Amino acid sequence: MSIAAQYAEVSSEVRDECELVGRAVSEVTLVAVSKTVGLAGVEQAIAAGATDFGENRPDQLVAKAEAFPQVRWHFIGNIQSRQIPKIVQHAHLIHSLFEERHAAKIGEAAAALGKVQEVLLEVNVSGEQSKSGVDPASLPALVEFVGALPQVRIRGLMTMAPQGDRDAAQRAFAGLRRLADEIRSGMDAVQAASFDQLSMGMSEDWRIGIEEGATIVRIGRAIFSDDFA
Ligand SMILES: *Cc1c(COP(=O)(O)O)cnc(C)c1O
């Protein structure tokens, strides 16, 4: 199938899943993770209706966002300090913030550009060694630090589930939602009102994400790869 056809199919499956679990389709944003394709692949997905794309490498984010400024670009990758200004220049939403020093730099870069950068805090809910993210016990302190930065707005949380284990994915996503509820209940009304996003679910486990309350699913292979079953 073509990328356009695969995008259309995933998009309609996301709609079906929302209906199945009784959620409004408008609550869930499908982010097409285009990290494995070039500009032509992005163009095909846009032609099929894609509005949001995710990249995990700053250079790719810049190149693709400059080529296609009409769609929203999400940064979902590892953050390195010296790359922060260009990430902030192009990212609609940064999903992968979990270090205070990076938050401070994001605030500085956003101030220089006269913008408020929206971010999600990445949480290592499953506790796997290989996963990045703040551990749940340290999340409240991180929320407090980032929440005090005037040029940074915390929109919610993000996690990656263990792959190949549906039960573990379900636990991780349910855990992220509980953490978000706890954090929100400790926020003032203004902060709580915009703390409404849960980015959880990829090609293998996005249905579980939607069942557990995801508002953003990040799907790569199911859209852009020929051989994702
Ligand atoms: C690559 C990537 C995805 C997409 O993964 P697929 O399994 O290809 O759908 C989602 N989130 C992050 C952070 C990624 O790096």
Side-chain angles (χ1 to χ4, degrees), residues 6 221-222 224-229:
Q6 290 188 161
R221 287 171 296 154
F224 293 106
S225 161
D226 285 336
D227 53 16
F228 184 81

Side-chain angles (χ1 to χ4, degrees), residues 123 139 156-157 174-187 195-198:
V123 187
L139 179 61
L157 304 179
L176 192 73
R177 186 180 53 178
R178 273 195 303 275
L179 282 168
D181 289 344
E182 281 168 33
I183 293 294
R184 193 180 303 102
S185 69
M187 284 176 154
F195 186 85
D196 58 0
Q197 300 294 313
L198 284 175

Side-chain angles (χ1 to χ4, degrees), residues 33 35 56 76 158 160 202-204 218-222:
V33 177
K35 66 192 182 191
N56 66 346
I76 62 173
M158 181 274 237
M160 310 246 298
M202 321 201 310
S203 291
E204 282 177 14
R218 310 177 308 271
I219 302 183
R221 287 171 296 154

Side-chain angles (χ1 to χ4, degrees), residues 31-36 55-56 75-78 95-96 122 158-160 163 199 201-206 217-223 225 228:
V31 172
V33 177
S34 50
K35 66 192 182 191
T36 59
E55 284 290 333
N56 66 346
F75 188 73
I76 62 173
N78 186 32
H95 292 226
S96 43
E122 181 173 357
M158 181 274 237
T159 201
M160 310 246 298
Q163 293 295 284
S199 172
M202 321 201 310
S203 291
E204 282 177 14
D205 53 23
W206 63 264
V217 290
R218 310 177 308 271
I219 302 183
R221 287 171 296 154
I223 296 169
S225 161
F228 184 81

